Amino acid sequence: MARLRRICPFIPAGDDVAKTIAFYEQKLGFKRQWQDSETPELALIARDDIELFLQKNPDPECAEWTTLRVEVQDIADLYREIVECDRTLIHPNGRLEKKSWGSTDFTILDCNDVCITFYEF
């Protein structure tokens, strides 16, 4: 039987993909896997089992309407890692907390206002 294994979304990276790559590397611990040129318009980044394509897209509304949920193991450790790096990344309404649906979540905004919620059941 067919089984879905992973998803690798394309994330809007604003006008400056290199700047967005640097944000994900320095603030979230991702590593660049590939980019299409010296001044990239498309790049692949990864951390653990998560891969994301960062794609040039200067439309701020596209980024503001992009939302990801990423399942993690040891969410308290990830939360502490991000807060120690830059506590301003945590969304004002996105501090680490147990939700009524059973997961523990926290939410950040990337440098282009893409919303990323990390969760653990």
Side-chain angles (χ1 to χ4, degrees):
M1 184 159 97
R3 180 175 172 205
L4 302 180
R5 304 255 324 173
R6 256 196 274 183
I7 188 169
C8 184
F10 282 67
I11 306 301
D15 274 330
D16 190 342
V17 176
K19 175 184 156 199
T20 303
I21 293 168
F23 172 87
Y24 276 83
E25 288 178 333
Q26 296 165 9
K27 305 287 186 176
L28 301 178
F30 281 79
K31 299 290 181 222
R32 179 184 354 212
Q33 305 299 303
W34 171 86
Q35 66 186 45
D36 65 348
S37 68
E38 195 66 30
T39 53
E41 293 191 9
L42 184 65
L44 177 66
I45 59 171
R47 178 173 173 171
D48 303 320
D49 294 331
I50 301 299
E51 292 180 325
L52 302 173
F53 276 100
L54 301 175
Q55 184 174 33
K56 185 174 183 174
N57 184 331
D59 181 356
E61 285 189 21
C62 185
E64 290 170 7
W65 284 96
T66 300
T67 302
L68 304 173
R69 283 183 56 82
V70 178
E71 184 176 7
V72 277
Q73 181 179 333
D74 300 321
I75 194 164
D77 289 344
L78 180 62
Y79 184 76
R80 188 171 26 264
E81 174 188 321
I82 290 174
V83 167
E84 287 173 2
C85 177
D86 185 349
R87 86 173 32 258
T88 65
L89 297 180
I90 305 299
H91 188 281
N93 299 320
R95 289 183 295 274
L96 184 68
E97 68 177 347
K98 179 85 169 182
K99 300 295 186 178
S100 61
W101 50 86
S103 65
T104 301
D105 295 14
F106 74 91
T107 302
I108 68 160
L109 295 175
D110 82 357
C111 59
N112 299 297
D113 289 332
V114 170
C115 181
I116 304 172
T117 297
F118 297 97
Y119 72 95
E120 180 176 43
F121 277 99

